Amino acid sequence: MIEKALTSADVEFVTTLHGDEQVSFHVLLQPRGEQADRLLRAIDDIALGELDEAVREGKTPEGEEALSTGQRALEVSLTALRSSGSEAQGRLVEDHPLDALKAVVDEVGADEVIVLTDPHYVEEFFHRDWASRARHKVGVPVLKLFSHSKA
């Protein structure tokens, strides 16, 4: 589960987690503009010392614009995973990301879930981030990773 396009460092990281074992990725992307309110994102930016980002939170795409941006991010991520030699398919999630995640885990018989996002300190502190909530919902191990760099 991701919130923005994977960087090359992210792709290398997730594709090497299991050594030479062949893995298949089922990527769910929920655009950032749809998942959390601006105040929480701004607090996260401030906690990371990224004051310029906090100011720009009001310009985060929402609605149709977020979906269009999200679709491009998903395509970039799937192409990068496939170029690394992995099988990859995915879809955009508009509502209820954890319900969609549970459905995919059940449908494909996933062995684990990887949640790869920027840090979200407020949600993490209160265990309301995707990974914390997914651990109680999906029935398989959940690995929480942070993006290596801005996409």
Side-chain angles (χ1 to χ4, degrees):
M1 179 166 261
I2 60 176
E3 63 187 355
K4 64 181 184 178
L6 296 175
T7 65
S8 57
D10 294 332
V11 170
E12 181 178 351
F13 190 44
V14 298
T15 57
T16 59
L17 283 172
H18 297 286
D20 293 334
E21 184 179 332
Q22 183 64 29
V23 295
S24 177
F25 293 93
H26 298 270
V27 180
L28 298 180
L29 183 142
Q30 185 179 36
R32 184 174 177 170
E34 296 296 313
Q35 76 178 8
D37 73 6
R38 290 179 183 155
L39 177 60
L40 290 177
R41 292 192 316 257
I43 292 170
D44 286 337
D45 291 335
I46 291 168
L48 289 170
E50 297 175 353
L51 301 179
D52 292 340
E53 287 295 317
V55 172
R56 285 193 282 268
E57 285 300 341
K59 297 177 183 171
T60 299
E62 305 230 353
E64 282 300 314
E65 186 181 353
L67 292 177
S68 175
T69 301
Q71 188 61 45
R72 286 191 304 275
L74 179 61
E75 291 168 8
V76 165
S77 299
L78 293 175
T79 299
L81 288 166
R82 291 175 186 141
S83 294
S84 75
S86 298
E87 289 183 31
Q89 54 185 306
R91 64 178 179 172
L92 217 52
V93 177
E94 295 180 45
D95 296 312
H96 310 293
L98 296 175
D99 291 340
L101 182 61
K102 172 72 171 144
V104 168
V105 166
D106 292 344
E107 177 185 321
V108 303
D111 294 326
E112 73 179 349
V113 167
I114 298 172
V115 176
L116 193 143
T117 65
D118 287 333
H120 297 292
Y121 295 115
V122 174
E123 288 104 340
E124 290 166 22
F125 180 79
F126 292 106
H127 303 285
R128 301 302 303 155
D129 59 297
W130 285 344
S132 296
R133 294 183 345 202
R135 286 185 180 107
H136 301 286
K137 187 165 189 115
V138 298
V140 297
V142 176
L143 180 60
K144 177 180 177 174
L145 302 174
F146 293 125
S147 299
H148 280 74
S149 61
K150 299 286 183 190

